[in-house]
mmCIF file of all heavy atoms in Angstrom:
data_model
loop_
_atom_site.group_PDB
_atom_site.id
_atom_site.type_symbol
_atom_site.label_atom_id
_atom_site.label_comp_id
_atom_site.label_asym_id
_atom_site.label_seq_id
_atom_site.Cartn_x
_atom_site.Cartn_y
_atom_site.Cartn_z
ATOM 1 N N LEU A 1 5.607 16.056 9.230
ATOM 2 C CA LEU A 1 4.702 15.434 8.257
ATOM 3 C C LEU A 1 3.295 15.997 8.348
ATOM 4 O O LEU A 1 2.461 15.750 7.481
ATOM 5 C CB LEU A 1 4.655 13.916 8.473
ATOM 6 C CG LEU A 1 5.966 13.157 8.278
ATOM 7 C CD1 LEU A 1 5.735 11.664 8.475
ATOM 8 C CD2 LEU A 1 6.549 13.411 6.909
ATOM 9 N N GLN A 2 3.024 16.730 9.427
ATOM 10 C CA GLN A 2 1.700 17.314 9.668
ATOM 11 C C GLN A 2 0.596 16.254 9.660
ATOM 12 O O GLN A 2 -0.449 16.408 9.029
ATOM 13 C CB GLN A 2 1.397 18.410 8.626
ATOM 14 C CG GLN A 2 2.367 19.587 8.718
ATOM 15 C CD GLN A 2 2.046 20.690 7.735
ATOM 16 O OE1 GLN A 2 1.466 20.444 6.685
ATOM 17 N NE2 GLN A 2 2.417 21.908 8.076
ATOM 18 N N VAL A 3 0.879 15.165 10.352
ATOM 19 C CA VAL A 3 -0.125 14.115 10.552
ATOM 20 C C VAL A 3 -0.211 13.832 12.038
ATOM 21 O O VAL A 3 0.656 14.235 12.818
ATOM 22 C CB VAL A 3 0.221 12.824 9.778
ATOM 23 C CG1 VAL A 3 0.213 13.069 8.276
ATOM 24 C CG2 VAL A 3 1.572 12.275 10.214
ATOM 25 N N SER A 4 -1.256 13.133 12.436
ATOM 26 C CA SER A 4 -1.494 12.901 13.858
ATOM 27 C C SER A 4 -0.561 11.826 14.408
ATOM 28 O O SER A 4 -0.014 10.999 13.673
ATOM 29 C CB SER A 4 -2.939 12.463 14.075
ATOM 30 O OG SER A 4 -3.159 11.186 13.501
ATOM 31 N N ARG A 5 -0.424 11.833 15.734
ATOM 32 C CA ARG A 5 0.384 10.808 16.394
ATOM 33 C C ARG A 5 -0.166 9.397 16.135
ATOM 34 O O ARG A 5 0.610 8.483 15.841
ATOM 35 C CB ARG A 5 0.445 11.083 17.896
ATOM 36 C CG ARG A 5 1.324 12.275 18.267
ATOM 37 C CD ARG A 5 1.096 12.684 19.730
ATOM 38 N NE ARG A 5 1.256 11.576 20.656
ATOM 39 C CZ ARG A 5 2.399 11.250 21.248
ATOM 40 N NH1 ARG A 5 3.481 11.969 21.023
ATOM 41 N NH2 ARG A 5 2.454 10.243 22.086
ATOM 42 N N PRO A 6 -1.490 9.180 16.216
ATOM 43 C CA PRO A 6 -2.001 7.839 15.901
ATOM 44 C C PRO A 6 -1.668 7.397 14.475
ATOM 45 O O PRO A 6 -1.400 6.212 14.229
ATOM 46 C CB PRO A 6 -3.514 7.970 16.111
ATOM 47 C CG PRO A 6 -3.658 9.097 17.090
ATOM 48 C CD PRO A 6 -2.561 10.057 16.740
ATOM 49 N N THR A 7 -1.683 8.339 13.530
ATOM 50 C CA THR A 7 -1.347 8.001 12.143
ATOM 51 C C THR A 7 0.115 7.596 12.028
ATOM 52 O O THR A 7 0.457 6.625 11.336
ATOM 53 C CB THR A 7 -1.636 9.176 11.207
ATOM 54 O OG1 THR A 7 -3.030 9.485 11.262
ATOM 55 C CG2 THR A 7 -1.270 8.843 9.763
ATOM 56 N N ILE A 8 1.002 8.328 12.713
ATOM 57 C CA ILE A 8 2.416 7.958 12.710
ATOM 58 C C ILE A 8 2.591 6.567 13.301
ATOM 59 O O ILE A 8 3.357 5.743 12.777
ATOM 60 C CB ILE A 8 3.254 8.981 13.504
ATOM 61 C CG1 ILE A 8 3.358 10.296 12.730
ATOM 62 C CG2 ILE A 8 4.654 8.443 13.797
ATOM 63 C CD1 ILE A 8 4.152 10.202 11.440
ATOM 64 N N ARG A 9 1.881 6.290 14.368
ATOM 65 C CA ARG A 9 1.958 4.970 14.984
ATOM 66 C C ARG A 9 1.514 3.877 13.997
ATOM 67 O O ARG A 9 2.113 2.800 13.897
ATOM 68 C CB ARG A 9 1.095 4.919 16.238
ATOM 69 C CG ARG A 9 1.894 4.995 17.538
ATOM 70 C CD ARG A 9 2.710 3.768 17.638
ATOM 71 N NE ARG A 9 3.673 3.814 18.737
ATOM 72 C CZ ARG A 9 4.712 3.017 18.792
ATOM 73 N NH1 ARG A 9 4.962 2.185 17.813
ATOM 74 N NH2 ARG A 9 5.541 3.043 19.788
ATOM 75 N N GLU A 10 0.433 4.157 13.257
ATOM 76 C CA GLU A 10 -0.054 3.198 12.261
ATOM 77 C C GLU A 10 1.005 2.970 11.179
ATOM 78 O O GLU A 10 1.267 1.838 10.772
ATOM 79 C CB GLU A 10 -1.350 3.715 11.624
ATOM 80 C CG GLU A 10 -1.888 2.807 10.521
ATOM 81 C CD GLU A 10 -3.024 3.445 9.741
ATOM 82 O OE1 GLU A 10 -3.448 4.567 10.107
ATOM 83 O OE2 GLU A 10 -3.461 2.826 8.761
ATOM 84 N N TYR A 11 1.634 4.068 10.732
ATOM 85 C CA TYR A 11 2.648 3.946 9.682
ATOM 86 C C TYR A 11 3.869 3.172 10.177
ATOM 87 O O TYR A 11 4.450 2.362 9.439
ATOM 88 C CB TYR A 11 3.079 5.340 9.209
ATOM 89 C CG TYR A 11 2.047 6.085 8.371
ATOM 90 C CD1 TYR A 11 2.285 7.396 7.975
ATOM 91 C CD2 TYR A 11 0.857 5.492 7.996
ATOM 92 C CE1 TYR A 11 1.362 8.100 7.194
ATOM 93 C CE2 TYR A 11 -0.080 6.174 7.239
ATOM 94 C CZ TYR A 11 0.178 7.481 6.841
ATOM 95 O OH TYR A 11 -0.732 8.158 6.079
ATOM 96 N N ILE A 12 4.279 3.422 11.409
ATOM 97 C CA ILE A 12 5.417 2.686 11.969
ATOM 98 C C ILE A 12 5.097 1.196 12.025
ATOM 99 O O ILE A 12 5.943 0.348 11.700
ATOM 100 C CB ILE A 12 5.784 3.233 13.362
ATOM 101 C CG1 ILE A 12 6.443 4.614 13.223
ATOM 102 C CG2 ILE A 12 6.727 2.281 14.096
ATOM 103 C CD1 ILE A 12 6.710 5.294 14.548
ATOM 104 N N SER A 13 3.882 0.864 12.403
ATOM 105 C CA SER A 13 3.477 -0.552 12.445
ATOM 106 C C SER A 13 3.519 -1.183 11.064
ATOM 107 O O SER A 13 3.972 -2.324 10.901
ATOM 108 C CB SER A 13 2.070 -0.673 13.033
ATOM 109 O OG SER A 13 2.049 -0.265 14.380
ATOM 110 N N LEU A 14 3.061 -0.437 10.049
ATOM 111 C CA LEU A 14 3.082 -0.957 8.685
ATOM 112 C C LEU A 14 4.512 -1.174 8.192
ATOM 113 O O LEU A 14 4.828 -2.215 7.606
ATOM 114 C CB LEU A 14 2.353 0.007 7.739
ATOM 115 C CG LEU A 14 0.830 -0.003 7.812
ATOM 116 C CD1 LEU A 14 0.254 1.158 7.001
ATOM 117 C CD2 LEU A 14 0.275 -1.324 7.290
ATOM 118 N N LEU A 15 5.380 -0.203 8.438
ATOM 119 C CA LEU A 15 6.768 -0.328 7.996
ATOM 120 C C LEU A 15 7.493 -1.430 8.764
ATOM 121 O O LEU A 15 8.380 -2.096 8.224
ATOM 122 C CB LEU A 15 7.489 1.013 8.151
ATOM 123 C CG LEU A 15 6.991 2.119 7.219
ATOM 124 C CD1 LEU A 15 7.609 3.463 7.595
ATOM 125 C CD2 LEU A 15 7.307 1.797 5.751
ATOM 126 N N SER A 16 7.103 -1.649 10.019
ATOM 127 C CA SER A 16 7.667 -2.757 10.788
ATOM 128 C C SER A 16 7.178 -4.091 10.246
ATOM 129 O O SER A 16 7.926 -5.080 10.213
ATOM 130 C CB SER A 16 7.287 -2.636 12.267
ATOM 131 O OG SER A 16 7.803 -1.452 12.833
ATOM 132 N N GLN A 17 5.925 -4.111 9.796
ATOM 133 C CA GLN A 17 5.349 -5.363 9.313
ATOM 134 C C GLN A 17 6.025 -5.847 8.031
ATOM 135 O O GLN A 17 6.076 -7.046 7.767
ATOM 136 C CB GLN A 17 3.844 -5.206 9.080
ATOM 137 C CG GLN A 17 3.118 -6.525 8.908
ATOM 138 C CD GLN A 17 1.609 -6.392 8.992
ATOM 139 O OE1 GLN A 17 1.086 -5.326 9.314
ATOM 140 N NE2 GLN A 17 0.896 -7.453 8.703
ATOM 141 N N ILE A 18 6.587 -4.923 7.238
ATOM 142 C CA ILE A 18 7.321 -5.341 6.041
ATOM 143 C C ILE A 18 8.832 -5.274 6.275
ATOM 144 O O ILE A 18 9.618 -5.210 5.338
ATOM 145 C CB ILE A 18 6.910 -4.529 4.792
ATOM 146 C CG1 ILE A 18 7.136 -3.035 4.987
ATOM 147 C CG2 ILE A 18 5.471 -4.819 4.420
ATOM 148 C CD1 ILE A 18 6.940 -2.229 3.702
ATOM 149 N N PHE A 19 9.221 -5.271 7.544
ATOM 150 C CA PHE A 19 10.613 -5.455 7.976
ATOM 151 C C PHE A 19 11.538 -4.289 7.617
ATOM 152 O O PHE A 19 12.752 -4.464 7.566
ATOM 153 C CB PHE A 19 11.190 -6.748 7.387
ATOM 154 C CG PHE A 19 10.373 -7.974 7.705
ATOM 155 C CD1 PHE A 19 9.530 -8.528 6.755
ATOM 156 C CD2 PHE A 19 10.439 -8.554 8.956
ATOM 157 C CE1 PHE A 19 8.774 -9.646 7.047
ATOM 158 C CE2 PHE A 19 9.685 -9.682 9.259
ATOM 159 C CZ PHE A 19 8.845 -10.229 8.304
ATOM 160 N N LEU A 20 10.994 -3.093 7.429
ATOM 161 C CA LEU A 20 11.845 -1.941 7.152
ATOM 162 C C LEU A 20 12.256 -1.215 8.429
ATOM 163 O O LEU A 20 13.255 -0.488 8.433
ATOM 164 C CB LEU A 20 11.137 -0.963 6.214
ATOM 165 C CG LEU A 20 10.885 -1.459 4.795
ATOM 166 C CD1 LEU A 20 10.322 -0.331 3.937
ATOM 167 C CD2 LEU A 20 12.138 -2.039 4.157
ATOM 168 N N LEU A 21 11.492 -1.384 9.496
ATOM 169 C CA LEU A 21 11.805 -0.761 10.784
ATOM 170 C C LEU A 21 11.746 -1.815 11.878
ATOM 171 O O LEU A 21 11.020 -2.802 11.763
ATOM 172 C CB LEU A 21 10.792 0.343 11.137
ATOM 173 C CG LEU A 21 10.603 1.513 10.199
ATOM 174 C CD1 LEU A 21 9.579 2.467 10.805
ATOM 175 C CD2 LEU A 21 11.906 2.219 9.951
ATOM 176 N N GLU A 22 12.498 -1.561 12.956
ATOM 177 C CA GLU A 22 12.419 -2.415 14.135
ATOM 178 C C GLU A 22 12.454 -1.538 15.370
ATOM 179 O O GLU A 22 13.204 -0.564 15.427
ATOM 180 C CB GLU A 22 13.586 -3.397 14.188
ATOM 181 C CG GLU A 22 13.582 -4.421 13.069
ATOM 182 C CD GLU A 22 14.707 -5.426 13.230
ATOM 183 O OE1 GLU A 22 14.993 -5.807 14.384
ATOM 184 O OE2 GLU A 22 15.296 -5.817 12.211
ATOM 185 N N GLU A 23 11.629 -1.890 16.339
ATOM 186 C CA GLU A 23 11.672 -1.222 17.633
ATOM 187 C C GLU A 23 12.445 -2.108 18.604
ATOM 188 O O GLU A 23 12.110 -3.282 18.787
ATOM 189 C CB GLU A 23 10.258 -0.966 18.156
ATOM 190 C CG GLU A 23 9.497 0.069 17.346
ATOM 191 C CD GLU A 23 8.147 0.400 17.951
ATOM 192 O OE1 GLU A 23 8.077 0.486 19.202
ATOM 193 O OE2 GLU A 23 7.177 0.561 17.186
ATOM 194 N N LEU A 24 13.475 -1.542 19.199
ATOM 195 C CA LEU A 24 14.295 -2.257 20.171
ATOM 196 C C LEU A 24 13.788 -1.906 21.566
ATOM 197 O O LEU A 24 13.901 -0.747 21.997
ATOM 198 C CB LEU A 24 15.764 -1.875 20.010
ATOM 199 C CG LEU A 24 16.771 -2.541 20.949
ATOM 200 C CD1 LEU A 24 16.787 -4.058 20.723
ATOM 201 C CD2 LEU A 24 18.162 -1.959 20.751
ATOM 202 N N PRO A 25 13.228 -2.865 22.296
ATOM 203 C CA PRO A 25 12.612 -2.541 23.586
ATOM 204 C C PRO A 25 13.654 -2.202 24.650
ATOM 205 O O PRO A 25 14.828 -2.579 24.534
ATOM 206 C CB PRO A 25 11.864 -3.829 23.949
ATOM 207 C CG PRO A 25 12.620 -4.913 23.253
ATOM 208 C CD PRO A 25 13.112 -4.298 21.969
ATOM 209 N N PRO A 26 13.236 -1.496 25.702
ATOM 210 C CA PRO A 26 14.167 -1.169 26.792
ATOM 211 C C PRO A 26 14.384 -2.366 27.711
ATOM 212 O O PRO A 26 13.468 -3.151 27.951
ATOM 213 C CB PRO A 26 13.446 -0.036 27.527
ATOM 214 C CG PRO A 26 11.987 -0.308 27.277
ATOM 215 C CD PRO A 26 11.904 -0.904 25.905
ATOM 216 N N TRP A 27 15.580 -2.484 28.228
ATOM 217 C CA TRP A 27 15.879 -3.493 29.246
ATOM 218 C C TRP A 27 15.341 -3.006 30.589
ATOM 219 O O TRP A 27 15.292 -1.799 30.846
ATOM 220 C CB TRP A 27 17.390 -3.702 29.330
ATOM 221 C CG TRP A 27 17.813 -4.807 30.248
ATOM 222 C CD1 TRP A 27 17.793 -6.142 29.989
ATOM 223 C CD2 TRP A 27 18.341 -4.667 31.581
ATOM 224 N NE1 TRP A 27 18.272 -6.859 31.066
ATOM 225 C CE2 TRP A 27 18.607 -5.979 32.060
ATOM 226 C CE3 TRP A 27 18.610 -3.575 32.412
ATOM 227 C CZ2 TRP A 27 19.142 -6.215 33.330
ATOM 228 C CZ3 TRP A 27 19.127 -3.810 33.683
ATOM 229 C CH2 TRP A 27 19.386 -5.118 34.124
ATOM 230 N N HIS A 28 14.912 -3.920 31.430
ATOM 231 C CA HIS A 28 14.385 -3.504 32.731
ATOM 232 C C HIS A 28 14.957 -4.395 33.824
ATOM 233 O O HIS A 28 15.389 -5.528 33.583
ATOM 234 C CB HIS A 28 12.860 -3.569 32.750
ATOM 235 C CG HIS A 28 12.304 -4.932 32.450
ATOM 236 N ND1 HIS A 28 12.129 -5.888 33.407
ATOM 237 C CD2 HIS A 28 11.898 -5.490 31.279
ATOM 238 C CE1 HIS A 28 11.644 -6.975 32.864
ATOM 239 N NE2 HIS A 28 11.486 -6.781 31.572
ATOM 240 N N SER A 29 14.965 -3.868 35.031
ATOM 241 C CA SER A 29 15.483 -4.600 36.180
ATOM 242 C C SER A 29 14.811 -4.092 37.442
ATOM 243 O O SER A 29 14.569 -2.889 37.592
ATOM 244 C CB SER A 29 17.000 -4.406 36.285
ATOM 245 O OG SER A 29 17.492 -4.888 37.523
ATOM 246 N N ASN A 30 14.541 -4.999 38.343
ATOM 247 C CA ASN A 30 13.975 -4.607 39.635
ATOM 248 C C ASN A 30 14.981 -3.841 40.496
ATOM 249 O O ASN A 30 14.618 -3.162 41.452
ATOM 250 C CB ASN A 30 13.491 -5.842 40.396
ATOM 251 C CG ASN A 30 12.306 -6.497 39.711
ATOM 252 O OD1 ASN A 30 11.539 -5.825 39.024
ATOM 253 N ND2 ASN A 30 12.158 -7.804 39.881
ATOM 254 N N ARG A 31 16.271 -3.957 40.144
ATOM 255 C CA ARG A 31 17.306 -3.274 40.914
ATOM 256 C C ARG A 31 17.337 -1.774 40.633
ATOM 257 O O ARG A 31 17.837 -1.005 41.440
ATOM 258 C CB ARG A 31 18.677 -3.858 40.566
ATOM 259 C CG ARG A 31 18.913 -5.273 41.099
ATOM 260 C CD ARG A 31 20.192 -5.838 40.498
ATOM 261 N NE ARG A 31 20.542 -7.117 41.094
ATOM 262 C CZ ARG A 31 21.494 -7.297 41.983
ATOM 263 N NH1 ARG A 31 22.198 -6.278 42.414
ATOM 264 N NH2 ARG A 31 21.754 -8.497 42.463
ATOM 265 N N LEU A 32 16.850 -1.380 39.449
ATOM 266 C CA LEU A 32 16.888 0.035 39.063
ATOM 267 C C LEU A 32 15.488 0.505 38.714
ATOM 268 O O LEU A 32 14.843 -0.059 37.832
ATOM 269 C CB LEU A 32 17.811 0.250 37.853
ATOM 270 C CG LEU A 32 19.318 0.102 38.089
ATOM 271 C CD1 LEU A 32 20.064 0.299 36.770
ATOM 272 C CD2 LEU A 32 19.807 1.103 39.119
ATOM 273 N N SER A 33 15.021 1.535 39.381
ATOM 274 C CA SER A 33 13.681 2.058 39.108
ATOM 275 C C SER A 33 13.714 3.250 38.161
ATOM 276 O O SER A 33 12.680 3.680 37.672
ATOM 277 C CB SER A 33 13.009 2.475 40.427
ATOM 278 O OG SER A 33 13.771 3.502 41.066
ATOM 279 N N ARG A 34 14.923 3.772 37.866
ATOM 280 C CA ARG A 34 15.027 4.992 37.065
ATOM 281 C C ARG A 34 15.444 4.694 35.629
ATOM 282 O O ARG A 34 16.175 5.442 35.003
ATOM 283 C CB ARG A 34 16.008 5.967 37.709
ATOM 284 C CG ARG A 34 15.608 6.383 39.124
ATOM 285 C CD ARG A 34 16.530 7.420 39.717
ATOM 286 N NE ARG A 34 16.384 8.714 39.071
ATOM 287 C CZ ARG A 34 17.272 9.241 38.249
ATOM 288 N NH1 ARG A 34 18.369 8.587 37.912
ATOM 289 N NH2 ARG A 34 17.080 10.437 37.716
ATOM 290 N N LEU A 35 14.970 3.582 35.101
ATOM 291 C CA LEU A 35 15.284 3.240 33.723
ATOM 292 C C LEU A 35 14.249 3.830 32.773
ATOM 293 O O LEU A 35 13.050 3.852 33.064
ATOM 294 C CB LEU A 35 15.329 1.721 33.546
ATOM 295 C CG LEU A 35 16.456 0.986 34.268
ATOM 296 C CD1 LEU A 35 16.307 -0.510 34.063
ATOM 297 C CD2 LEU A 35 17.817 1.461 33.769
ATOM 298 N N VAL A 36 14.718 4.320 31.628
ATOM 299 C CA VAL A 36 13.822 4.842 30.599
ATOM 300 C C VAL A 36 13.113 3.674 29.930
ATOM 301 O O VAL A 36 13.731 2.649 29.621
ATOM 302 C CB VAL A 36 14.625 5.655 29.564
ATOM 303 C CG1 VAL A 36 13.748 6.056 28.387
ATOM 304 C CG2 VAL A 36 15.224 6.899 30.228
ATOM 305 N N LYS A 37 11.817 3.804 29.708
ATOM 306 C CA LYS A 37 11.017 2.701 29.183
ATOM 307 C C LYS A 37 10.630 2.879 27.718
ATOM 308 O O LYS A 37 9.731 2.205 27.215
ATOM 309 C CB LYS A 37 9.759 2.521 30.037
ATOM 310 C CG LYS A 37 10.073 2.170 31.488
ATOM 311 C CD LYS A 37 8.820 1.997 32.309
ATOM 312 C CE LYS A 37 9.160 1.651 33.759
ATOM 313 N NZ LYS A 37 7.946 1.499 34.593
ATOM 314 N N THR A 38 11.320 3.774 27.022
ATOM 315 C CA THR A 38 11.018 4.061 25.620
ATOM 316 C C THR A 38 11.857 3.174 24.703
ATOM 317 O O THR A 38 13.056 3.017 24.929
ATOM 318 C CB THR A 38 11.323 5.539 25.303
ATOM 319 O OG1 THR A 38 10.617 6.359 26.219
ATOM 320 C CG2 THR A 38 10.909 5.886 23.876
ATOM 321 N N PRO A 39 11.262 2.596 23.651
ATOM 322 C CA PRO A 39 12.061 1.794 22.727
ATOM 323 C C PRO A 39 12.932 2.669 21.827
ATOM 324 O O PRO A 39 12.697 3.873 21.690
ATOM 325 C CB PRO A 39 11.009 1.053 21.898
ATOM 326 C CG PRO A 39 9.803 1.925 21.952
ATOM 327 C CD PRO A 39 9.833 2.597 23.300
ATOM 328 N N LYS A 40 13.929 2.043 21.242
ATOM 329 C CA LYS A 40 14.726 2.687 20.200
ATOM 330 C C LYS A 40 14.215 2.244 18.835
ATOM 331 O O LYS A 40 13.693 1.136 18.677
ATOM 332 C CB LYS A 40 16.194 2.264 20.318
ATOM 333 C CG LYS A 40 17.076 3.161 21.149
ATOM 334 C CD LYS A 40 18.528 2.742 20.993
ATOM 335 C CE LYS A 40 19.463 3.700 21.734
ATOM 336 N NZ LYS A 40 20.882 3.317 21.523
ATOM 337 N N LEU A 41 14.392 3.102 17.846
ATOM 338 C CA LEU A 41 14.069 2.736 16.466
ATOM 339 C C LEU A 41 15.343 2.393 15.716
ATOM 340 O O LEU A 41 16.340 3.116 15.811
ATOM 341 C CB LEU A 41 13.369 3.896 15.751
ATOM 342 C CG LEU A 41 11.847 3.958 15.747
ATOM 343 C CD1 LEU A 41 11.390 5.083 14.829
ATOM 344 C CD2 LEU A 41 11.216 2.635 15.310
ATOM 345 N N HIS A 42 15.314 1.311 14.982
ATOM 346 C CA HIS A 42 16.399 0.965 14.068
ATOM 347 C C HIS A 42 15.806 0.693 12.690
ATOM 348 O O HIS A 42 14.820 -0.040 12.573
ATOM 349 C CB HIS A 42 17.151 -0.279 14.535
ATOM 350 C CG HIS A 42 18.097 -0.030 15.660
ATOM 351 N ND1 HIS A 42 19.307 0.600 15.481
ATOM 352 C CD2 HIS A 42 18.014 -0.337 16.980
ATOM 353 C CE1 HIS A 42 19.940 0.675 16.643
ATOM 354 N NE2 HIS A 42 19.168 0.118 17.569
ATOM 355 N N ILE A 43 16.415 1.262 11.661
ATOM 356 C CA ILE A 43 15.988 0.920 10.314
ATOM 357 C C ILE A 43 16.527 -0.467 9.992
ATOM 358 O O ILE A 43 17.529 -0.927 10.559
ATOM 359 C CB ILE A 43 16.464 1.988 9.305
ATOM 360 C CG1 ILE A 43 15.612 1.928 8.032
ATOM 361 C CG2 ILE A 43 17.951 1.857 9.010
ATOM 362 C CD1 ILE A 43 15.601 3.208 7.243
#
């Protein structure tokens, strides 16, 4: 898209606010330290 990362973040927030996108957060546990902490995107 040739736009900045902050702009993409702003757009994702806007699209989430009108319920077109959802971020699925990562599960975490004290038993495992090697878990990925990045959310998934779902339309």
Side-chain angles (χ1 to χ4, degrees):
L1 298 182
Q2 297 182 333
V3 296
S4 67
R5 287 167 53 91
T7 299
I8 288 293
R9 256 294 171 199
E10 177 190 356
Y11 288 175
I12 288 174
S13 295
L14 284 170
L15 293 171
S16 298
Q17 194 167 353
I18 58 171
F19 305 102
L20 293 186
L21 302 182
E22 294 184 38
E23 292 185 39
L24 180 63
W27 186 79
H28 58 86
S29 169
N30 293 332
R31 289 170 173 256
L32 289 178
S33 61
R34 300 184 70 253
L35 293 176
V36 173
K37 298 180 180 179
T38 305
K40 267 189 175 183
L41 267 187
H42 283 285
I43 201 157

